[in-house]
Amino acid sequence: MADRTHKALNEFVAEAQETIDALGRELLRLARAGADEPDPDVLNAVFRGAHSLKGLSSMFGVERMARLAHALEDVLDDVRMGRRPLDPAALDLLLEAPELFSRILAEEASGAAPRTAEAAARLAERLRAHAAPAAAAAEPAEGPA
């Protein structure tokens, strides 16, 4: 049983690192292209990477990674659907994620105590807070009709 668990962990680490690397490359492509008019194909690739990482980390019980990937996915979905622009501040926050994902993954691979939980929670909170004003501004004000 321990061999299966070790093999599953190794497969998770390999697949997650591949996804993180691709996510980082695609985020850099977005950054180089500028925030004005993001390439929809690149934006969709970044979204799919975040979505895949969310599912993979959830399946393996790495909740701090899953929550961060979910926050990333939410921001990217808002950009994809035109609910918010991909402004430089949002892009800077998104670019922080791959390095933190790699740190989380290194902890999981080594069996070390999770020291990244607070950093992951903070970044997820910052991503959600950055998205909140745009979402609120997009909603029509209620009042007399």
Side-chain angles (χ1 to χ4, degrees):
M1 184 67 171
D3 284 342
R4 272 194 204 159
T5 303
H6 185 69
K7 183 179 179 191
L9 176 63
N10 286 341
E11 288 175 9
F12 162 69
V13 168
E15 187 171 343
Q17 191 60 60
E18 185 178 310
T19 303
I20 292 165
D21 292 345
L23 180 68
R25 283 191 305 274
E26 296 301 324
L27 279 168
L28 288 174
R29 283 183 63 195
L30 275 180
R32 282 194 299 271
D36 292 336
E37 198 62 40
D39 180 329
D41 292 334
V42 176
L43 193 55
N44 285 328
V46 174
F47 176 83
R48 282 190 308 274
H51 182 75
S52 295
L53 200 54
K54 179 183 78 172
L56 184 64
S57 55
S58 289
M59 187 169 64
F60 280 87
V62 186
E63 290 306 314
R64 64 195 182 285
M65 183 181 281
R67 284 189 296 274
L68 178 55
H70 193 163
L72 200 71
E73 182 185 49
D74 287 347
V75 170
L76 292 163
D77 194 44
D78 283 349
V79 172
R80 285 183 339 139
M81 297 302 157
R83 293 186 292 256
R84 68 165 293 111
L86 182 62
D87 59 38
L91 197 50
D92 286 347
L93 287 172
L94 294 170
L95 286 165
E96 289 182 38
E99 188 273 332
L100 184 51
F101 284 139
S102 290
R103 287 177 35 213
I104 293 168
L105 197 57
E107 288 174 351
E108 292 297 317
S110 70
R115 296 179 183 198
T116 52
E118 188 176 320
R122 272 195 318 267
L123 181 53
E125 183 178 303
R126 289 169 51 216
L127 283 161
R128 291 191 194 288
H130 187 76
E139 294 176 13
E142 291 189 31

